[in-house]
Amino acid sequence: MLPFKEVNPDTQICCRSIFLSDWHLGARAANPGAILAALRSLKAERIFLVGDILDIWHGGRVHWTTEVDEILAELRRKAHGGTEITYLPGNHDAALRNGTEAPDGGWEIQNELVHEAADGRKYLVIHGDQCDNRLFRQHFMTRLGSRLDCMLRWLDGLYRKGFSLPRDQRTPVEWVIATSNKLMSTGYIFDHKALALAEDAGADGVICGHSHKPAMRDWNGKTFANCGDWIDGMTAVIETFDGTLELLDYSPVAHAIWAETFGGEETLAGATG
């Protein structure tokens, strides 16, 4: 597992490619302010949006803000400036795989692709829900999970406000969310399924999202890279100009946005509730 490289609020990222997943824009737990700040500090030749960027299946009220519109505007500006942007839908925005019209973000939509890095290595890029078992690939399971997560995030926000909790104190609701995610985890089975798809595609590794667990591992000479998420993790994978893959941790950027917006009274998770 390679270490994360921390990105501070004043850091400018310049890279050949960046892979971002699981923004879940439209869901209660989304953090559009942090995403927007990261995009504005980014200069990349290619941006890969690796699924669950829009949360079409989250259920309930759509949490759409002016910051979400600004994210789309920033993507359009980058596209007009020459950045290649590719959107690979996931299970929460799976309707886009079937031609459903999406907001104009200046992107091309593909279900999967093989990306050739600057060093000649090839990576299969997919969201990762393709590696779930058949039951969890059903849309009703996605919708059910989204509704439960939305309810828990709302309860977490109420709990934090009611007890005026400091940002470093974990709530019982957070414990429930973390425990549920752990129970749903399939360990390294997910890695191996994704790498099997990469091998079938003739690639040297895979870059994905979906599990909300950022990772960079080597399995018998094959690379498994997971972008993570922007609900709790705030992470991304970049390709440098020599073809090296790196994990970035944008948590300091997210915390700066949160502190400016909420005045230090809530945690990131609570602020989204």
Side-chain angles (χ1 to χ4, degrees), residues 74-133:
E74 182 64 26
L75 289 171
R76 284 193 292 270
R77 280 193 290 271
K78 290 186 181 303
H80 293 157
T83 300
E84 297 178 13
I85 303 177
T86 306
Y87 190 141
L88 299 100
N91 54 313
H92 284 256
D93 44 18
L96 303 185
R97 292 171 172 166
N98 302 319
T100 296
E101 185 175 352
D104 177 22
W107 48 50
E108 175 188 3
I109 295 180
Q110 294 191 43
N111 290 334
E112 63 179 55
L113 60 85
V114 174
H115 169 67
E116 184 171 351
D119 60 3
R121 287 176 61 85
K122 295 180 179 179
Y123 299 95
L124 175 67
V125 186
I126 54 174
H127 177 62
D129 60 302
Q130 297 91 334
C131 303
D132 288 342
N133 66 43

Side-chain angles (χ1 to χ4, degrees), residues 159-181:
Y159 191 95
R160 290 184 181 281
K161 291 176 182 178
F163 290 93
S164 301
L165 295 182
R167 63 183 183 181
D168 59 349
Q169 184 171 339
R170 196 179 195 187
T171 70
V173 181
E174 280 187 313
W175 179 86
V176 171
I177 293 173
T179 301
S180 299
N181 290 338

Side-chain angles (χ1 to χ4, degrees), residues 22-34:
D22 295 273
W23 290 354
H24 291 277
L25 297 176
R28 179 185 296 275
N31 287 290

Side-chain angles (χ1 to χ4, degrees), residues 165-207:
L165 295 182
R167 63 183 183 181
D168 59 349
Q169 184 171 339
R170 196 179 195 187
T171 70
V173 181
E174 280 187 313
W175 179 86
V176 171
I177 293 173
T179 301
S180 299
N181 290 338
K182 188 174 182 179
L183 289 173
M184 294 290 289
S185 173
T186 57
Y188 293 136
I189 295 175
F190 180 83
D191 298 29
H192 295 310
K193 285 185 175 181
L195 286 171
L197 293 177
E199 186 170 359
D200 291 343
D204 301 296
V206 63
I207 301 173

